Amino acid sequence: MNLLEYEAKEIAKKYHIPVPPGVLIEEPGQVQQAIDELGLPVVLKAQVPVAGRGKAGGVKLARDPDEAYEIAEELFEKEIKGYPVYSILVEKAANIQRELYLSFTLDRANRRVVMLASGEGGMEIEELAKEKPEAIIKLPIEPEIGLKAHEVREVGKKIGLSGNCLRSFEQIAKSMYKIFMDYDADLVESNPLAITDQGMMALDFRMIIDDNAIFRHPEFEAARERELRGAEKIAAKRGFFYVELDGDIGIIGNGAGLTMATMDVVNYYGGRPANFLDIGGGARRERVKEAVKVLLENPRVKVIFVNIFGGITLASEVALGIVAALQESPVKKPIVARVVGTAEEEGRKILQEAGIPLFESMDEAAKEAVRLAKEVA
Ligand code: GDP
Ligand code: MN
């Protein structure tokens, strides 16, 4: 589960990581009060649970109250990377001298927590890794020993730090590692971790909590509820009939009857549906793509089962939609498809070429979805 930036920053503060002073607002009318408290200029940051908001127009600098009000109005109207904006973090703008990158994440292949650091922050790490992998320094952490201060300092030196900056870097790295362990995180990231005229500061702070560990952190229940309700709201906005349930198999069908029957079959074979999603009749590829994306983005969904009986809905359009969603979404999940009826041959060919398991029988498809969900869990 993704925490929102302001939630992650609350945790950062508890662990003595410097962050800019900020005020959370839920409507444009509150922006003046935030400015009174913080002073100008301010940065307005849309609170959506994804990175790369800056590029998507979700982070904006305002020099005066009118500009701030206009930006707030505009952000609350917008969707940032598909997410509606329910709150904005208004922060005192910092004077940035240098942007660094620092994160802790799991290196699954090596079964270690790894610290990643770079002197070239600001850019998304995936891009940096592609364009300039040598600029990212990796420090694997021995689980029994933890983070070693001298190793952190070496990394700091390699990214060009010395003196006070190096000392701040060491302190912040220690705190971030502690947060990573204490909160069962999958990711704790500051990008940029900035050198400013007020010292080193986490201008951006991001946390992803391991979904399997949420039961150990009852304080996140509200955030999780919000994330799930978010899925319903997003689906409703995109015009689907969508109901959130508490299982882990994502269901897409056409027509309420078939969609409910699909849920029943999944239940019958011992699986638990994560939702009800009816794409309606005659859906074209764009609509199918959006539906699949809703489930790809839903953190609870482990496997997606698409069950379409094509009458006015063309199987080929459904297939193209599924493939497009998988190509566009950064999140990948196993998909099981049963697509029969009009344009079946064409649809089957498209899905086969994309390597998506296809079934003619609803029972066989359901069994496979249940098996995959157990395997993923
Ligand atoms: P992200 O795009 O979702 O990762 O959002 P960030 O919080 O990282 O903001 C994007 C970019 O906005 C950063 O890389 C900074 O360059 C810039 N930015 C954020 N906060 C400030 C600030 O206080 N002052 C200035 N000058 N730039 C900022
Ligand atoms: Mn960032």
Side-chain angles (χ1 to χ4, degrees):
M1 180 187 66
N2 280 281
L3 295 190
L4 292 172
E5 178 190 10
Y6 81 90
E7 294 167 325
K9 276 180 168 166
E10 285 302 318
I11 294 169
K13 277 191 258 181
K14 274 194 209 148
Y15 285 72
H16 309 293
I17 296 172
V19 298
V23 174
L24 189 75
I25 65 168
E26 282 168 352
E27 52 185 45
Q30 296 170 328
V31 80
Q32 185 58 50
Q33 218 177 325
I35 291 172
D36 290 344
E37 200 175 318
L38 301 168
L40 285 160
V42 289
V43 177
L44 289 97
K45 311 182 78 180
Q47 298 300 289
V48 290
V50 279
R53 294 164 303 164
K55 257 200 203 156
V59 178
K60 296 240 156 102
L61 182 83
R63 287 166 208 86
D64 61 66
D66 288 342
E67 193 183 8
Y69 187 87
E70 270 169 39
I71 292 171
E73 250 188 337
E74 191 192 320
L75 287 179
F76 278 121
E77 288 287 307
K78 249 199 212 165
E79 276 187 5
I80 303 294
K81 304 185 101 174
Y83 289 91
V85 179
Y86 299 118
S87 59
I88 295 175
L89 180 60
V90 183
E91 283 188 339
K92 180 83 205 284
N95 267 319
I96 303 175
Q97 287 155 8
R98 243 190 105 188
E99 296 191 328
L100 313 171
Y101 176 94
L102 181 60
S103 73
F104 290 82
T105 187
L106 277 175
D107 179 350
R108 289 178 195 275
N110 293 310
R111 296 193 278 173
R112 290 281 181 278
V113 176
V114 61
M115 179 178 102
L116 300 176
S118 175
E120 306 191 24
M123 216 203 285
E124 266 181 73
I125 192 71
E126 290 83 1
E127 272 170 61
L128 188 61
K130 225 185 278 166
E131 279 164 31
K132 240 183 148 184
E134 70 281 4
I136 303 171
I137 300 185
K138 283 188 200 171
L139 175 65
I141 300 161
E142 294 291 331
E144 299 84 2
I145 300 169
L147 199 59
K148 288 185 228 157
H150 73 274
E151 286 187 349
V152 175
R153 281 196 296 275
E154 265 164 47
V155 172
K157 282 181 199 160
K158 275 189 201 156
I159 63 172
L161 303 176
S162 61
N164 281 339
C165 281
L166 187 57
R167 272 187 289 279
S168 302
F169 179 78
E170 188 189 326
Q171 283 311 315
I172 291 171
K174 255 194 215 161
S175 297
M176 283 173 68
Y177 179 65
K178 187 142 186 3
I179 291 174
F180 187 92
M181 301 308 282
D182 289 354
Y183 285 89
D184 296 309
D186 277 336
L187 175 75
V188 175
E189 178 186 76
S190 181
N191 185 26
L193 174 64
I195 303 175
T196 74
D197 52 9
Q198 311 277 319
M200 194 176 281
M201 250 189 223
L203 285 196
D204 192 10
F205 203 72
R206 206 155 89 83
M207 286 175 66
I208 300 176
I209 310 292
D210 182 345
D211 282 323
N212 297 311
I214 300 232
F215 74 97
R216 300 210 290 206
H217 305 281
E219 70 271 31
F220 293 139
E221 255 160 43
R224 186 155 170 80
E225 271 308 305
R226 177 205 60 220
E227 187 158 90
L228 297 176
R229 271 202 320 278
E232 262 182 20
K233 282 187 189 153
I234 291 163
K237 242 186 162 165
R238 293 177 187 171
F240 298 117
F241 301 101
Y242 182 87
V243 182
E244 187 73 36
L245 302 166
D246 56 9
D248 54 8
I249 300 177
I251 308 278
I252 296 178
N254 62 328
L258 179 64
T259 311
M260 290 215 272
T262 310
M263 289 165 48
D264 285 348
V265 177
V266 164
N267 263 318
Y268 180 79
Y269 287 110
R272 288 162 56 78
N275 69 283
F276 168 97
L277 197 169
D278 170 12
I279 57 169
R284 305 291 304 254
R285 70 187 79 165
E286 195 59 29
R287 190 166 168 77
V288 175
K289 183 182 86 182
E290 289 302 320
V292 175
K293 275 171 124 177
V294 166
L295 297 191
L296 286 172
E297 284 164 17
N298 183 333
R300 191 158 51 202
V301 173
K302 303 278 185 277
V303 180
I304 298 172
F305 178 9
V306 183
N307 188 10
I308 302 291
F309 189 89
I312 49 172
T313 309
L314 301 180
S316 52
E317 286 292 312
V318 172
L320 287 168
I322 296 174
V323 173
L326 275 176
Q327 272 167 357
E328 279 177 29
S329 170
V331 192
K332 312 290 177 210
K333 290 174 186 176
I335 296 189
V336 173
R338 181 232 182 200
V339 182
V340 295
T342 317
E344 182 178 319
E345 277 310 311
E346 223 180 312
R348 183 166 299 159
K349 226 175 98 194
I350 294 162
L351 290 172
Q352 255 158 8
E353 273 165 19
I356 293 166
L358 255 175
F359 295 85
E360 269 182 56
S361 125
M362 183 152 138
D363 286 81
E364 292 308 314
K367 273 190 217 163
E368 177 63 4
V370 172
R371 190 190 69 77
L372 283 169
K374 289 201 172 122
E375 195 177 282
V376 175

